[in-house]
């Protein structure tokens, strides 16, 4: 079974530039998550989708971050404009359902460095 | 107070040693508990779920104490391949969102 795919794997940009990340979840997984993991910290949930609807975006900095999952499969996360503190690994995860107990499967992440 | 707190370590132990990690959580109504493992520069992967009755998977034993809001992970007979960061993970009370809250992780290095 193919895992969660993410691209690009690495990105270096200057502050105030824009950047976009792409995620393709495991086939059949209804729920998709974007996490931000800053060096030395655990992942922090940015946004959660169920199919193409947003379930939780309470920790997404909406003044600069946006995400969409238009057809309930692939998703993109955008940062515009980027700040130095956005340097982190952006992890996408998916799970079959939303609720208690099921496992989240993570992609390899996109490492973002903002200069 | 952080929602999920872990001792960051690092824990440096010799092969064959037994090592234990602890984790505390702040929301007494938290629903589910997990340990994830994250290798250097890799994504987190589920190691095991944690149940009130405790559960064991080979050399790994996880315990949950709801009264003390405390989770533990015990690794027996440590292997070099156990070197990783171990993340304590908690989910909030049941609802429509399936939000995992991660601790900052405990770094383990098993030495030859």
């Amino acid at each position: 079974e193919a895992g969660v795919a993410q691209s690009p794997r690495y990105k270096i940009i200057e502050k105030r530039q824009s950047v976009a990340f792409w995620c393709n979840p495991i086939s059949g997984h209804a729920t998709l998550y974007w996490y931000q993991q800053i060096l030395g910290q655990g992942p922090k949930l940015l946004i959660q989708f169920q199919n193409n609807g947003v379930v939780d975006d309470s920790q997404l900095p909406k003044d600069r971050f946006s995400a969409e999952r238009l057809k309930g499969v692939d998703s993109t996360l955008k940062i515009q404009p980027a700040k130095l503190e956005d340097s982190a690994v952006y992890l996408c995860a998916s799970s079959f359902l939303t609720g208690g107990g099921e496992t989240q499967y993570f992609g390899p992440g996109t490492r973002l460095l903002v200069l | 107070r952080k929602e999920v707190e872990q001792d960051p370590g690092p824990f440096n132990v010799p092969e064959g040693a037994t090592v234990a990690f602890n984790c505390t959580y702040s929301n007494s109504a938290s629903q589910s508990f997990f340990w994830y493992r994250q290798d250097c520069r890799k994504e987190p992967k589920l190691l095991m779920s944690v149940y009130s009755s405790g559960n064991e998977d080979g050399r790994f034993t996880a315990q949950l104490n709801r009264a003390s809001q405390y989770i533990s992970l015990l690794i027996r007979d440590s292997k070099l391949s156990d070197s990783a960061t171990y993340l304590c993970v908690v989910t909030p009370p049941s609802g429509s969102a399936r939000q995992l809250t991660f601790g900052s992780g405990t770094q383990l290095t098993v030495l030859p």
Side-chain angles (χ1 to χ4, degrees):
Chain A
E1 179 183 77
V4 176
Q6 289 188 247
S7 68
R9 293 295 308 277
Y10 305 91
K11 191 73 177 179
I12 301 174
I13 61 172
E14 295 186 349
K15 60 184 179 183
R16 291 188 289 274
Q17 285 188 322
S18 302
V19 65
F21 313 128
W22 173 83
C23 173
N24 180 241
I26 292 172
S27 177
H29 280 194
T31 309
L32 184 147
Y33 315 79
W34 283 102
Y35 290 86
Q36 179 193 58
Q37 187 173 23
I38 293 172
L39 187 65
Q41 299 181 19
K44 182 185 84 170
L45 181 71
L46 293 176
I47 188 167
Q48 176 184 349
F49 292 94
Q50 169 118 9
N51 297 311
N52 60 349
V54 175
V55 174
D56 183 356
D57 64 356
S58 57
Q59 299 188 94
L60 187 73
K62 298 180 186 63
D63 58 332
R64 298 184 301 105
F65 286 65
S66 63
E68 59 184 14
R69 194 185 183 199
L70 292 176
K71 295 183 178 179
V73 181
D74 293 6
S75 177
T76 56
L77 176 69
K78 296 179 181 178
I79 307 175
Q80 181 179 9
K83 293 185 175 181
L84 297 178
E85 59 260 35
D86 298 332
S87 294
V89 178
Y90 291 84
L91 294 161
C92 179
S94 70
S95 65
F96 185 60
L97 294 171
T98 293
E102 77 283 355
T103 301
Q104 290 189 18
Y105 296 88
F106 285 81
T110 296
R111 296 183 177 275
L112 174 67
L113 178 60
V114 182
L115 301 175
Chain B
R1 182 183 173 187
K2 288 184 180 179
E3 290 185 65
V4 181
E5 292 202 61
Q6 295 183 248
D7 180 344
F11 284 65
N12 298 316
V13 302
E15 267 188 292
T18 296
V19 61
F21 306 137
N22 301 321
C23 170
T24 58
Y25 59 96
S26 61
N27 188 339
S28 60
S30 295
Q31 184 183 24
S32 304
F33 309 88
F34 308 91
W35 284 100
Y36 274 69
R37 171 190 169 132
Q38 187 170 26
D39 292 306
C40 187
R41 302 181 71 83
K42 298 287 189 181
E43 70 273 22
K45 292 183 179 178
L46 178 67
L47 178 65
M48 58 197 308
S49 301
V50 189
Y51 306 117
S52 296
S53 55
N55 51 307
E56 186 173 315
D57 182 3
R59 298 180 293 106
F60 297 83
T61 301
Q63 296 277 356
L64 167 64
N65 184 322
R66 285 192 181 270
S68 301
Q69 295 176 216
Y70 170 96
I71 305 158
S72 66
L73 177 68
L74 182 76
I75 305 175
R76 292 180 299 278
D77 189 23
S78 300
K79 310 291 185 191
L80 296 177
S81 57
D82 295 333
S83 297
T85 296
Y86 290 84
L87 298 160
C88 174
V89 186
V90 173
T91 64
S94 59
S96 60
R98 177 71 168 94
Q99 180 181 10
L100 298 184
T101 300
F102 286 78
S104 293
T106 299
Q107 186 180 343
L108 171 66
T109 302
V110 181
L111 304 169

